[in-house]
Amino acid sequence: MNKKARLFRDSLGLVWKSAPGWAAANILISLLQSFLPLALIFLIRLLIDRITETVSAGSGIPEIIGLIIAVVVIYFLDEVSTGAGNYIRRNQSIKLESYMFGLLHSKSVRLDLINFEHPAYYDCLSRATSEAPWRPNSILNNIISMFRGAVSLLLMAGVLFSLHWGLVVLLLAVNVPGIWLRLHFADILYNFQRSRTPDARKSAYFSWLLTGDRPSRELRLFGTGNYFISLFKTAFARQKEEELRIIRKRTLIGILSDTVKALALLLLLVYVTGRAASGNLTLGQMAMFILAFRQGMSYIRDLFGSLAGLYEDSLFIGDTFEFLNLKESIKAAEPQMPASILRTGLEVRDLSFTYPGNTSHTLKNVSFTVGRGEIVALAGPNGAGKSTLVRLITRLYDPDSGVIRYDGTDIRNIDPDAYRKMFSVVFQDFMLYNMSAGENIRIGDLEAADAETRIRKAAAVSHVHDMINNLPAGYDTVIGNLFDDSRELSWGEWQKLALARALFRNAPVLILDEPVSALDSDTEYEIFSRFREVVRGRTTILISHRLTNISFADRIIVISNGEISETGTHDELMKARGIYHRMYTRQASRFGECSNP
Ligand code: ATP
């Protein structure tokens, strides 16, 4: 089966699956709508002829009344079916929209994180989200309207053929330019829209810089408003100018094709009026032929319009399927092993990793172990690869080479979702949820039993309980500034919430990547002076640039340029007088507490 036919089949499959009842109703009402106009034209012809006969013969009034009622009934049915059709189609498209969003969202949740490293992924996502909710329905409607158009056209052509076969040819011929126009410009517009996706994303980004909450403070302080406005205008104008140029060209050619159609109507009028004037046509027949030609024109336009629409749909729906069919490589390899509470420990062996598009290794032959219950600290300069290591350990990325073992099992053999349940993480760029304070903590473990009490305990350990209690609705207060009745927090308070969220999650391994960078010194002191109590004996990987905070760790691993350069306890590393010694001494000297051994 060729690619386009497969896309159509798959799209119709989606339409049907999303709302089979509404899809069937849509087909039925569309069929009804294709017969009603012909019935109407036929009745109008009968009515005019009867009126003409009545005027000359002076009888037949009851028959005329019957015909008038029939015309009104058919007209009424036609109108009602239009309204009902719109209602049915709207219902169906809402169902489909929600179904498609479901597919898109669950796909993007499952998708490998590495995809976010590729700009092409964002282009694909952006096209898929703008097209997916309505394209499959457009395919169904175009197919229905093509079918409807074909049936109605055949009926109208039959009527015209009874007058002269040339009228059928005329009807078909005058529509050729319009059809060509749509097909030709469908290609042009699709290619244009595909090529402008990066510009569209760029202008959306500049628009967010100008209107978003996060950039609003720097924007005012650095006075970058006008600069971003000009960047937005450039990106916006680049895409719109080209689009307008294409549409202008299409409109001009469209006027030519409309002129051809108007000439055809003129030809028909001259011919039919001539025949009526010479007594070869009744007035009713004349009206019927004119209406049939007019209807035929609109059916043929619908028919080929829907054909061209289908062609357009096939181009655009490809993007949606391209996104939905993106492969996920982060999954459990065979033989699959279960994930269980850590018994022995984690082992990282010869791990190397490079981000897509980067030329040098981010991590190179990194090896170390973390025993159960150990607190291991990662230290090292900016860009050394510490956060990347966390992403690999939690299997957000797979390494280029090397292996990570969890209790001796290669983590690639464990279902990623089950494996990640064993971890609780405070990321350096932790999330802020514009939800209630309690919900912000509960998100750490949505299935937790006894959540209320444990949420408060976690909040107390991360020193945020009192602050939450003082909010207007306590733990139910919505925080952030997106919604009504919400309270914004300071950055440090958000960070305490993120820490509470991680502590609330009852996972055997805790990873804290700069968890206190924004906390006040008292809170920081409180947390680190009782750190083992805070982590409650959990296996912990701790990253911090403030080396006094990690000096108590069972082991400190110093990473620089993606490689392990030193490992040991604080005392061992200070004795070794390497990178750690230098960094620690410099930091300590700033606070006048140099303890150079
Ligand atoms: P810091 O102490 O500043 O947090 P880090 O040791 O945690 O740094 P990483 O964030 O792991 O360092 O980054 C390691 C290297 O990988 C850096 O050179 C960085 O530029 C690069 N890098 C980080 N994230 C990405 C990414 N998403 N895509 C491409 N390169 C990245």
Side-chain angles (χ1 to χ4, degrees):
M1 203 189 291
N2 87 21
K3 191 175 163 219
K4 289 212 168 93
R6 219 173 27 243
L7 287 174
F8 282 159
R9 186 201 58 193
D10 293 349
S11 307
L12 292 177
L14 291 177
V15 172
W16 189 257
K17 256 195 241 160
S18 65
W22 288 107
N26 189 358
I27 294 170
L28 287 179
I29 196 102
S30 302
L31 279 178
L32 180 69
Q33 282 179 307
S34 55
F35 285 98
L36 289 176
L38 184 78
L40 197 62
I41 287 178
F42 191 68
L43 284 172
I44 287 174
R45 175 215 145 162
L46 283 181
L47 183 64
I48 295 175
D49 283 346
R50 287 297 165 271
I51 291 171
T52 321
E53 284 164 21
T54 307
V55 169
S56 48
S59 64
I61 299 289
E63 202 184 339
I64 290 178
I65 293 173
L67 279 171
I68 289 176
I69 292 172
V71 167
V72 171
V73 168
I74 296 288
Y75 171 79
F76 174 72
L77 279 180
D78 196 25
E79 289 292 304
V80 168
S81 70
T82 307
N86 288 342
Y87 173 73
I88 288 169
R89 280 188 270 279
R90 185 77 198 113
N91 246 300
Q92 193 199 353
S93 63
I94 287 172
K95 291 268 180 325
L96 179 70
E97 215 175 314
S98 142
Y99 183 78
M100 290 307 291
F101 272 126
L103 285 185
L104 286 177
H105 290 160
S106 46
K107 180 69 189 181
S108 68
V109 166
R110 283 197 318 270
L111 214 56
D112 295 352
L113 201 69
I114 205 80
N115 285 299
F116 290 87
E117 302 299 327
H118 303 280
Y121 163 78
Y122 288 104
D123 290 345
C124 182
L125 176 65
S126 141
R127 285 196 299 270
T129 42
S130 63
E131 300 295 328
W134 65 277
R135 275 290 167 188
N137 219 16
S138 164
I139 292 182
L140 176 74
N141 286 334
N142 274 326
I143 287 179
I144 290 174
S145 108
M146 193 176 75
F147 182 68
R148 216 175 81 187
V151 171
S152 313
L153 182 67
L154 219 65
L155 297 173
M156 293 299 167
V159 173
L160 291 172
F161 194 83
S162 67
L163 179 64
H164 195 289
W165 61 266
L167 292 178
V168 180
V169 175
L170 186 70
L171 185 67
L172 294 173
V174 295
N175 280 287
V176 170
I179 295 151
W180 170 85
L181 189 71
R182 273 225 44 194
L183 291 177
H184 179 65
F185 278 94
D187 260 338
I188 293 184
L189 274 173
Y190 170 73
N191 288 328
F192 160 71
Q193 286 200 19
R194 212 183 150 88
S195 67
R196 68 143 212 184
T197 316
D199 261 337
R201 283 203 300 113
K202 217 177 259 178
S203 51
Y205 173 66
F206 291 133
S207 176
W208 173 75
L209 284 182
L210 288 160
T211 56
D213 164 54
R214 248 191 96 193
S216 63
R217 287 169 284 277
E218 276 206 17
L219 178 124
R220 277 155 187 75
L221 195 84
F222 290 127
T224 45
N226 285 334
Y227 178 61
F228 290 143
I229 287 175
S230 74
L231 290 178
F232 172 83
K233 272 189 185 159
T234 313
F236 190 77
R238 213 168 21 225
Q239 26 160 340
K240 296 298 168 191
E241 268 165 23
E242 178 64 7
E243 189 174 337
L244 281 178
R245 199 186 58 75
I246 295 171
I247 292 175
R248 202 163 41 237
K249 206 164 151 193
R250 190 175 65 174
T251 312
L252 283 176
I253 305 179
I255 292 173
L256 273 182
S257 116
D258 290 340
T259 315
V260 173
K261 285 186 201 164
L263 285 175
L265 188 64
L266 179 71
L267 214 67
L268 173 89
L269 283 175
V270 170
Y271 178 69
V272 171
T273 324
R275 294 276 310 258
S278 59
N280 288 326
L281 281 183
T282 64
L283 281 181
Q285 282 172 322
M286 188 183 95
M288 181 180 77
F289 287 128
I290 294 172
L291 283 175
F293 192 79
R294 177 75 197 87
Q295 280 299 109
M297 290 280 262
S298 72
Y299 287 142
I300 207 164
R301 194 191 55 218
D302 289 354
L303 172 64
F304 288 105
S306 37
L307 248 179
L310 272 177
Y311 180 67
E312 210 172 273
D313 291 337
S314 74
L315 295 173
F316 282 94
I317 198 70
D319 293 325
T320 301
F321 284 107
E322 188 188 331
F323 176 75
L324 292 178
N325 293 333
L326 280 174
K327 291 271 170 290
E328 290 140 40
S329 61
I330 306 260
K331 51 189 177 193
E334 293 299 333
Q336 274 198 42
M337 306 295 281
S340 54
I341 301 297
L342 194 69
R343 283 188 301 267
T344 53
L346 281 164
E347 180 192 2
V348 173
R349 186 63 48 215
D350 294 326
L351 209 65
S352 294
F353 177 76
T354 307
Y355 282 104
N358 287 12
T359 45
S360 54
H361 274 102
T362 309
L363 290 171
K364 197 169 164 196
N365 293 328
V366 172
S367 298
F368 64 93
T369 56
V370 184
R372 180 184 168 196
E374 251 193 313
I375 296 178
V376 170
L378 300 179
N382 291 129
K386 303 179 294 293
S387 300
T388 306
L389 190 53
V390 168
R391 291 175 202 159
L392 288 162
I393 290 174
T394 47
R395 213 180 164 208
L396 297 176
Y397 302 134
D398 271 342
D400 302 335
S401 62
V403 61
I404 298 170
R405 294 196 181 90
Y406 180 93
D407 279 345
T409 303
D410 186 335
I411 63 171
R412 284 170 292 205
N413 292 109
I414 306 175
D415 171 61
D417 290 337
Y419 174 68
R420 289 184 198 131
K421 281 198 174 139
M422 302 302 139
F423 289 84
S424 187
V425 186
V426 175
F427 286 106
Q428 210 172 6
D429 53 350
F430 58 87
M431 266 307 295
L432 321 177
Y433 298 97
N434 281 259
M435 296 172 165
S436 75
E439 194 76 342
N440 258 277
I441 300 174
R442 200 174 77 88
I443 276 176
D445 184 359
L446 290 170
E447 292 154 20
D450 194 18
E452 291 296 305
T453 327
R454 286 186 40 223
I455 283 174
R456 280 160 176 75
K457 261 192 198 158
V461 176
S462 70
H463 291 258
V464 75
H465 174 72
D466 291 343
M467 184 281 293
I468 298 177
N469 251 352
N470 287 330
L471 291 171
Y475 280 79
D476 293 328
T477 313
V478 175
I479 50 179
N481 57 5
L482 274 192
F483 304 115
D484 290 345
D485 296 327
S486 58
R487 280 295 178 90
E488 182 55 297
L489 302 185
S490 76
W491 190 248
E493 288 165 338
W494 275 114
Q495 194 171 38
K496 285 180 189 174
L497 268 184
L499 183 59
R501 181 158 62 237
L503 294 174
F504 171 68
R505 186 177 175 88
N506 215 357
V509 187
L510 193 58
I511 300 183
L512 307 173
D513 190 350
E514 290 290 356
V516 296
S517 57
L519 301 199
D520 60 76
S521 50
D522 280 353
T523 312
E524 188 180 343
Y525 176 80
E526 284 292 323
I527 288 176
F528 280 103
S529 57
R530 328 176 273 112
F531 193 77
R532 283 181 199 275
E533 211 181 298
V534 167
V535 301
R536 288 189 290 122
R538 288 192 260 188
T539 309
T540 304
I541 298 175
L542 172 65
I543 301 177
S544 178
H545 285 294
R546 210 161 314 170
L547 300 183
T548 43
N549 287 342
I550 58 169
S551 55
F552 68 91
D554 296 319
R555 206 142 28 95
I556 299 167
I557 297 171
V558 182
I559 301 179
S560 78
N561 287 327
E563 293 180 80
I564 293 185
S565 48
E566 294 167 15
T567 307
T569 61
H570 169 77
D571 291 340
E572 286 164 356
L573 291 175
M574 288 305 278
K575 276 195 195 106
R577 293 186 155 266
I579 299 176
Y580 181 83
H581 172 267
R582 193 188 67 233
M583 293 195 302
Y584 190 91
T585 321
R586 281 186 181 167
Q587 271 185 18
S589 66
R590 283 179 47 225
F591 296 101
E593 55 181 50
C594 177
S595 56
N596 203 350

